[in-house]
């Protein structure tokens, strides 16, 4: 099955700048399905777990301060190859390196204030979704358009 779930965060800069909806729309309009969504403020404890791979790096403390400073939107998104597909839509880490047409390329200019987080592998997606969503907060539902959005071939 190549239908995957991945964690996306609209970071505090995206919410503060009033473009959370536009960013969500970038994912939504592909046909991928939102199966979980919440507005929340990240606690320092959650930030430490979520960014454990970056502990000790020069930008780590600033990153945690930024991510815990104001609400973010957490999304669980489902679709064929959702992990890589979402990363493709986001663009490269630093906004000025990200291509036009990507979220970071179209909406940002910063290195750290880069609007969006997306899990980078199937394993991190599983781990990160578990940090942000209880199992019952990720919903299983079908949409009338599902049959026109992906088919058996896409399920792998
Ligand atoms: P990613 O978000 O594209 O996966 P990572 O390398 O995992 O990028 O870094 C996590 C986050 O840390 C980035 O999205 C960005 O917000 C921040 N970050 C990474 N490198 C720097 C830096 O050199 N300066 C400031 N912030 C950084
Ligand atoms: Mg990363």
């Amino acid at each position: 099955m190549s239908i995957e779930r991945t964690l996306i965060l609209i970071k505090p800069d995206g919410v503060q700048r009033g473009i959370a909806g536009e960013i969500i729309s970038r994912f939504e309009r592909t046909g991928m399905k939102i199966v979980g969504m919440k507005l929340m403020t990240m606690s320092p404890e959650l930030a430490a777990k979520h960014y454990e791979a970056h502990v000790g790096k020069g930008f780590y403390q600033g990153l945690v301060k930024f991510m815990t400073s104001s609400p973010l939107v957490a999304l669980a998104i489902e679709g064929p190859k959702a992990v890589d597909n979402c990363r493709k839509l986001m663009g490269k880490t630093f906004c000025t390196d990200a291509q036009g047409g990507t979220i970071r390329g179209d909406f940002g200019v910063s290195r750290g204030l880069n609007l969006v987080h997306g899990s980078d592998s199937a394993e991190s997606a599983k781990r990160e979704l578990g940090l942000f969503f209880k199992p019952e907060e990720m919903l299983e539902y079908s949409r009338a358009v599902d049959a026109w959005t992906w088919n058996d071939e896409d399920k792998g």
Side-chain angles (χ1 to χ4, degrees), residues 22-67:
E22 281 192 77
I23 295 172
I24 292 168
S25 177
R26 294 289 181 111
F27 297 105
E28 204 177 23
R29 70 188 190 183
T30 64
M32 289 187 290
K33 189 188 292 188
I34 297 173
V35 296
M37 178 157 69
K38 60 171 87 166
L39 181 70
M40 60 182 281
T41 302
M42 203 186 214
S43 68
E45 294 75 26
L46 177 56
K49 283 188 202 154
H50 178 66
Y51 283 122
E52 68 183 13
H54 296 303
V55 172
K57 294 185 184 166
F59 61 84
Y60 177 75
Q61 285 190 334
L63 174 63
V64 170
K65 192 169 176 211
F66 160 53
M67 291 297 294

Side-chain angles (χ1 to χ4, degrees), residues 20 44 67 82 94 114 131 149:
M67 291 297 294
F94 300 150
N114 61 0
L131 293 175
T149 307

Side-chain angles (χ1 to χ4, degrees), residues 54 87 117-118 120:
H54 296 303
R87 296 280 301 189
H117 166 85
D120 63 6

Side-chain angles (χ1 to χ4, degrees), residues 7 9 13 16 24 27 30-31 47-48 51 61 91 97 114-115 123-125 149 152 155:
L7 177 78
L9 302 176
D13 53 332
Q16 286 284 343
I24 292 168
F27 297 105
T30 64
Y51 283 122
Q61 285 190 334
D97 295 337
N114 61 0
L115 299 158
E123 299 73 51
S124 5
T149 307
D152 287 346
K155 292 178 189 164

Side-chain angles (χ1 to χ4, degrees), residues 11 59 66 92-97 104 108-115:
K11 295 184 178 185
F59 61 84
F66 160 53
K92 289 190 180 166
T93 301
F94 300 150
C95 296
T96 48
D97 295 337
R104 287 164 168 171
V109 289
S110 172
R111 293 157 73 94
L113 306 179
N114 61 0
L115 299 158

